[in-house]
């Protein structure tokens, strides 16, 4: 989060960015989401009405929640790909979502339902629920990082989910990906770059550079990720990289 850079903020309840058109890209925004009384509002909401197939992409965003009062069911990213059509594709990658907590109930970092959702290399921190996958959609989750949430992962994840780490015991990938405490550059200061000394997320990800559904080649800042086994980081940040794609 950088207050010297462009950011989207509002001072009242309501969704910050709501998209009901097909084939939309949302990339590179800072969004400060505020809520105190209304329910069911979102930082980024994508809700398609298409029954013929769409392609939406949400990437490289930082979404911060400021939630108080009676507000509940707030979501950093709400992905609703239409319940009737698994051909509706929503790709969500390299986002950082944090502080969707407080208020009067349960709030979420990323909430995916309907359509087919590809949720790769995101970081969720200090939310009531970091990642929620509703059973009425297809939910492919890979290389996601959840730490510091009341519940890191909840819902129904597709069998192809892989390399998702949790601080608690909720990673859909079993015990070897659970109980992972990530070292951030400045956790108290909301700097969610990985620390150089981290051993939980660094080099623990799957290489998704040739993934057939969503090829991830950069991190949240646009730096190139390495390729190969045992060198890709989990979460939105790739520690120590400085190369911009040519």
């Amino acid at each position: 989060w950088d207050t010297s850079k462009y950011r989207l903020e509002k001072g009242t309840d309501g969704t910050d960015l709501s998209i009901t058109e097909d084939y939309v890209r949302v990339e590179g925004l800072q969004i400060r989401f505020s809520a105190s009384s209304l329910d069911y509002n979102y930082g980024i909401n994508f809700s398609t009405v298409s029954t013929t197939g769409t392609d939406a992409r949400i990437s490289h965003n930082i979404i911060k929640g400021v939630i108080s009062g009676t507000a509940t069911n707030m979501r950093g990213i709400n992905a609703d790909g239409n319940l009737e059509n698994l051909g509706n594709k929503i790709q969500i990658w390299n986002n950082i979502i944090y502080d969707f907590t407080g208020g009067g109930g349960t709030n979420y970092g990323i909430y995916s339902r309907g359509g087919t959702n590809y949720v790769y290399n995101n970081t969720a921190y200090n939310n009531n629920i970091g990642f929620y996958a509703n059973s009425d959609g297809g939910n492919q989750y890979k290389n996601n990082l959840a730490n510091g949430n009341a519940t890191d992962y909840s819902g129904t994840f597709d069998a192809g989910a892989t390399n998702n780490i949790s601080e608690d015991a909720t990673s859909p990938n079993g015990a070897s990906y659970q109980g992972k405490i990530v070292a951030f550059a400045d956790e108290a200061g909301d700097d969610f770059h990985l620390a150089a000394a981290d051993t939980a997320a660094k080099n623990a990800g799957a290489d998704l550079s040739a993934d057939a559904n969503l090829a991830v080649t950069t991190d949240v800042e646009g730096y190139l990720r390495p390729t190969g086994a045992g060198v890709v980081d989990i979460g939105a940040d790739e520690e120590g990289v400085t190369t911009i794609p040519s």
Side-chain angles (χ1 to χ4, degrees):
W1 189 266
D2 187 341
T3 56
S4 69
K5 303 292 177 61
Y6 176 83
R7 60 197 187 277
L8 178 62
E9 297 188 12
K10 61 172 176 42
T12 59
D13 287 72
T15 293
D16 286 285
L17 185 60
S18 187
I19 301 159
T20 56
E21 299 292 333
D22 298 334
Y23 302 99
V24 175
R25 314 288 186 257
V26 180
E27 181 178 1
L29 293 179
Q30 293 187 122
I31 297 176
R32 184 182 185 272
F33 173 86
S34 300
S36 62
S37 59
L38 297 180
D39 300 339
Y40 294 96
N41 285 290
Y42 318 119
I44 297 174
N45 177 51
F46 182 85
S47 181
T48 180
V49 296
S50 174
T51 58
T52 59
T54 190
D55 178 351
R57 303 178 187 180
I58 303 170
S59 70
H60 302 84
N61 301 291
I62 300 174
I63 307 173
K64 171 185 175 66
V66 182
I67 301 171
S68 61
T70 59
T72 187
N73 234 306
M74 304 300 164
R75 303 168 188 177
I77 296 175
N78 183 62
D80 185 350
N82 188 306
L83 306 187
E84 283 77 31
N85 190 6
L86 290 178
N88 283 340
K89 180 172 69 174
I90 302 179
Q91 299 171 317
I92 304 169
W93 77 102
N94 283 342
N95 300 285
I96 299 173
I97 306 98
Y98 63 102
D99 288 355
F100 276 76
T101 186
T106 302
N107 305 293
Y108 305 82
I110 293 179
Y111 188 109
S112 59
R113 68 188 296 267
T116 300
N117 304 286
Y118 300 98
V119 183
Y120 294 1
N121 279 101
N122 301 283
T123 296
Y125 179 85
N126 192 37
N127 308 289
N128 293 131
I129 296 178
F131 297 98
Y132 185 86
N134 197 300
S135 61
D136 58 19
N139 295 292
Q140 288 280 1
Y141 277 63
K142 299 181 181 181
N143 280 4
N144 293 292
L145 188 169
N147 259 217
N149 306 287
T151 300
D152 286 334
Y153 296 85
S154 182
T156 303
F157 300 86
D158 288 3
T162 188
N163 295 72
N164 300 287
I165 61 173
S166 65
E167 185 173 352
D168 61 14
T170 60
S171 166
N173 299 123
S176 60
Y177 292 91
Q178 298 168 357
K180 300 294 185 180
I181 300 176
V182 175
F184 294 110
D186 183 5
E187 186 172 334
D190 295 335
D191 181 349
F192 299 111
H193 289 94
L194 295 179
D198 176 68
T199 58
K202 276 183 63 177
N203 303 330
D207 181 358
L208 303 179
S209 62
D211 188 274
N213 297 304
L214 173 55
V216 178
T217 58
T218 62
D219 74 349
V220 64
E221 294 176 292
Y223 295 126
L224 281 172
R225 293 182 184 266
T227 58
V231 295
V232 180
D233 296 347
I234 291 175
D237 177 56
E238 187 75 31
E239 196 279 325
V241 293
T242 57
T243 301
I244 298 293
S246 58

